[in-house]
Amino acid sequence: MRMISTKHCLAIAVMMVMGLAGHAQQSGQSPATEPDMRYAPLIYDNEARQEAPAAQPSGLYSLDAGDGWLQDAMASAERTRAIRDRAMIGNPQLVAYNAGRLPEAPPEGVIPSDPRQGKLTIAPAQVVVDEVTPPDAPVLPLHNWLHVFNASLQFTQAYISGNWYQGGENNLALLGSINWNCNLNQDVHPNWLFNNALSYKLGIATTHGDSIRKYMINEDNFLFTSQLGYKAVKNWYYSAMLQFTTQFLNNYKVNTRTMTAAFLAPAELNVGLGMTYNYKKADDRMFTLAIAPISYNLKYCRNITDIDPTRFGINAGHHSKSTVGSNFEAKWLWRFTPNVMFTSRLYMFTNYEYVQGDWENTLDLAIGKYLTTQLYTHLRFDRSRARDDDWNYWQFKEILSLGVVYRFATVN
């Protein structure tokens, strides 16, 4: 730290005495009755300058009546500022403080006294706030069932492997879909799990390679799933699961009258008992895992005269095939943003002789309120049917679509 010489101390003392005396003569008061900012500690505030202040425009600060006192006060304040600026520029060692680093002022408080002990204490000021009773908020009834309904109509581009179990070909098409979820409200019934989902997709496409028909059905899938469970521990439930899938319209092989699928041909029913894990974080992340060690699977083909039942894993000449085994189903929903949502469903069944599985993924990109783009992929593995030379036991479908959508949901 730089020391201040005796010469500097004496100069400062003389200046203070002369300033106080001059101020007392101008104001007519004693030097101790009114403070003077010229002798306050020097504080650097990033505004100190040595040049003379710019002249103020005439009449900038004026009153209708006599304003001599205002002009005198402004001139005195300007002189004080100039004196302090010159002092800081000429003697920076005397600047003890920086305005940007000063501590915060102490909070406002009161000083109560205690005459018996001769003490003064500082206590925070008591803020009295008038209590205002808010109006009673309306009580909204809770719904036992929560509904979510989506309906869309979209233009699509599809790629289908040649051995797809329902047939079809690559094309541009029009796709309509309906999805309805009806779930038991767990805020009302925390120990129960009852989720129901119904979906139907119908795709119609013009066919360029078919000389018999002007259009074809490239997507016709009805799916209903249901889960009923009772809480075991945390997010686990003892549960019973049901799944049923079929299609409604007839489908044919290109340039032939060979029927490949029809109503209840094929149809598949699966019922299982086991455990279900259910996780939900708000409405943007949901995960469900259902494991059924005991599962009954029924495959059915109503029309075996026009349709080969072996395409669906049913023995030739038979309408149905029943097996007992195990299955599991996993569903995942992740809403990245309000306009981007990803859903996935993985289902597998085995009777310990063959394995059958479906993995469906949908990426939904909302464009505004009623427009949406969807990318849908469906990977299927079925070892109960004949092996294909190109795809082995695998089947694959991909659909890219753009269209309109309508959504409806029931909240708590």
Side-chain angles (χ1 to χ4, degrees), residues 336-374:
F336 298 95
T337 69
N339 295 331
V340 180
M341 181 176 67
F342 175 77
T343 57
S344 181
R345 173 181 175 266
L346 177 63
Y347 170 80
M348 294 190 67
F349 170 81
T350 180
N351 67 346
Y352 309 109
E353 295 180 359
Y354 72 89
V355 177
Q356 174 186 323
D358 293 90
W359 187 22
E360 301 175 77
N361 298 278
T362 303
L363 180 63
D364 193 326
L365 307 175
I367 308 172
K369 186 176 181 181
Y370 298 108
L371 294 178
T372 181
T373 298
Q374 285 186 350

Side-chain angles (χ1 to χ4, degrees), residues 7 42 113 118-119 142 176 186 199 213 218 257 262 271 275-276 296 301 322 324-325 361-362 389:
K7 179 180 179 181
L42 295 176
S113 61
K119 291 183 178 180
L142 294 177
Q186 291 189 299
S199 66
R213 285 162 291 273
N218 70 332
R257 299 190 183 276
V271 180
M275 299 286 291
T276 296
Y296 169 76
C301 181
S322 299
V324 176
N361 298 278
T362 303
D389 294 335

Side-chain angles (χ1 to χ4, degrees), residues 96-155:
Y97 304 102
N98 187 325
R101 299 180 181 177
L102 289 177
E104 295 184 1
E108 183 179 355
V110 295
I111 305 178
S113 61
D114 187 354
R116 292 175 298 179
Q117 299 183 6
K119 291 183 178 180
L120 297 176
T121 57
I122 300 177
Q126 300 294 328
V127 179
V128 180
V129 180
D130 296 336
E131 295 185 1
V132 178
T133 303
D136 295 335
V139 179
L140 300 178
L142 294 177
H143 300 280
N144 289 318
W145 297 94
L146 302 178
H147 301 268
V148 178
F149 176 82
N150 294 333
S152 65
L153 181 64
Q154 298 173 318
F155 296 97

Side-chain angles (χ1 to χ4, degrees), residues 160-330:
I160 303 173
S161 64
N163 67 329
W164 185 253
Y165 76 113
Q166 290 178 329
E169 66 177 10
N170 303 343
N171 57 81
L172 296 175
L174 186 67
L175 176 66
S177 65
I178 296 175
N179 296 277
W180 174 55
N181 292 272
C182 181
N183 302 329
L184 189 68
N185 190 348
Q186 291 189 299
D187 291 336
V188 182
H189 307 280
N191 293 325
W192 287 95
L193 175 71
F194 195 8
N195 296 334
N196 303 278
L198 182 150
S199 66
Y200 179 62
K201 293 182 179 180
L202 176 62
I204 301 176
T206 58
T207 173
H208 303 287
D210 195 336
S211 59
I212 301 177
R213 285 162 291 273
K214 295 182 179 180
Y215 66 91
M216 64 173 294
I217 305 299
N218 70 332
E219 179 74 16
D220 187 6
N221 187 26
F222 174 84
L223 175 64
F224 174 76
T225 61
S226 181
Q227 292 179 333
L228 174 63
Y230 185 78
K231 178 169 285 190
V233 57
K234 293 185 178 180
N235 294 328
W236 287 94
Y237 297 81
Y238 303 108
S239 62
M241 293 150 281
L242 180 146
Q243 175 179 290
F244 174 75
T245 180
T246 186
Q247 73 173 59
F248 289 132
L249 304 180
N250 297 339
N251 205 357
Y252 299 87
K253 202 169 184 178
V254 179
N255 285 324
T256 69
R257 299 190 183 276
T258 302
M259 189 178 295
T260 58
F263 177 63
L264 296 180
E268 188 169 348
L269 174 68
N270 190 281
V271 180
L273 296 175
M275 299 286 291
T276 296
Y277 176 83
N278 186 62
Y279 169 81
K280 180 178 180 181
K281 181 179 179 181
D283 291 329
D284 58 352
R285 293 185 187 179
M286 288 182 282
F287 176 75
T288 301
L289 174 64
I291 304 173
I294 302 176
S295 178
Y296 169 76
N297 184 266
L298 171 65
K299 293 183 177 181
Y300 178 74
C301 181
R302 180 180 60 88
N303 185 351
I304 62 174
T305 303
D306 301 320
I307 301 175
D308 181 9
T310 60
R311 290 174 53 87
F312 317 122
I314 302 174
N315 297 331
H318 292 76
H319 286 276
S320 63
K321 182 178 182 179
S322 299
T323 54
V324 176
S326 303
N327 72 34
F328 86 90
E329 181 184 44

